[in-house]
Amino acid sequence: MAKVVKFGGSSLASAEQFKKVGDIIKADSERRYVVPSAPGKRSPRDTKVTDMLYNLYGSVSDDRSFAKVLADIRARYDEIIKGLGLKLDLSKEFDKIAADLKAGADSDYAASRGEFLNGHIMAAYLGFEFIDPAEYIIFDKKTENYDPEKTYKNLSKKLEKTPNAVIPGFYGAYADGTVKTFSRGGSDITGSIVARAIHADVYENWTDVSGFLIADPRIIDNPAKIETITYRELRELAYMGAGVLHEDAIFPVRQEGIPINIRNTNDPKDEGTWIVETTSKKSKYVITGIAGKKGFCAVNVDKDMMNSEIGFGRRVLQAFEENNISFEHLPSGIDTMTVFVHQDEFRDKEQSVVSAIRRMTDPDVIDIESDLALIAVVGRGMKSTRGTAGRIFSALAHAHVNVKMIDQGSSEINIIIGVANSDFETAIKAIYDIFVETKL
Ligand code: ASP
């Protein structure tokens, strides 16, 4: 049995947090592979080391501020080393980082050093082997993403022979050794890759919250926690965007059916949230989660007999494609088709999209409605429960929310609702109350 444990920046921001992490790892001998982030914020007004490193890169041509930022970063690590009582000297590593940046190393290299240095501390603290992902997580020049084939082959081989290891998160390297990072928050992806490489039983992702909540706590006071969610439900709730888990982290483990367990370093007894491929566990409520986002435009295209015109939909979408705009949602009727797009992407290209639709489809009417919000109500329990959509409708009517659009996905695990931006919070509250507060 082997578990991969990834710890986020807030779990490793200070010696005190490091000690909690050490206790968690020592409490279970199956926690054999550790993926650390860089030190995060110690308090709300503090700066993440990753941001300090981007700053260091930005000041490379100004000797004085470069030296100052470097010293500040060094102080963060020295504080942790001292607090842990370790005899570890990172002078050589810091000298090399300074020399590499002065010699022209790029911002990915700079940012990756946060995890690299924290990995050294973690390995020394736990007595585990340090494995540099630059040698094992191989990026492809063309896709600018990691190359799964090369990465898994390399990494599996190495880890098979290594009973315990620390593998810093967030970066790998191209075949020529140039360091490349994932996007921000990407240590989650590293954890997922390591879990897949060793066919882990569980990928534990330790952070500073006890898992996913049914709804955004900025909108709902003290929302209930999600105990178990399927990968599919989580994808449908992608707007959740609560920053708990990087969106791309689910793909490597999902393919292997490895569950992710989101856990709280500051409350290790809490079971957290389980993200699984499939489960027989019913969720406590009909819905698993509600999430949404403001700032959409609906482009509505009407044409009589549209339903029998072959290629109509493709041509409408082509107008968006030609303008490099992705669509979010696509409800349609017999003679009408609506394309939901992100308002900020669409605004500048609006007229060019409209004229392309006119040219390609000769519609009767095109109209645009802006300042809309989309809300996804997701739950595997909805499939076997009658009247879910009806309940949503009546809750929204009671709350005086005008529903612009409602669409049930064919998988029957999600319902998407379009409302005005100004009704967004009221709508989420109304839906939460009807399903969770009244426990229906
Ligand atoms: N340290 C990186 C960031 O701040 C990556 C991570 O924490 O996952 O984005």
Side-chain angles (χ1 to χ4, degrees), residues 6 8-9 37-38 48 50-51 111 115 170 183-188:
K6 180 259 167 182
S37 282
K48 284 180 164 196
T50 307
D51 292 317
E115 274 66 11
F170 191 38
S183 56
R184 295 299 301 266
S187 298
D188 286 341

Side-chain angles (χ1 to χ4, degrees), residues 29-45:
S29 60
E30 287 168 9
R31 296 185 173 132
R32 290 170 44 199
Y33 301 101
V34 182
V35 176
S37 282
K41 295 183 182 190
R42 290 161 296 184
S43 63
R45 303 186 66 177

Side-chain angles (χ1 to χ4, degrees), residues 149-176:
E149 219 171 287
K150 288 192 185 131
T151 298
Y152 293 125
K153 201 168 136 225
N154 269 339
L155 199 57
S156 302
K157 217 163 119 201
K158 171 70 184 166
L159 294 177
E160 259 165 37
K161 296 181 298 199
T162 319
N164 295 93
V166 172
I167 307 113
F170 191 38
Y171 72 96
Y174 291 115
D176 67 3

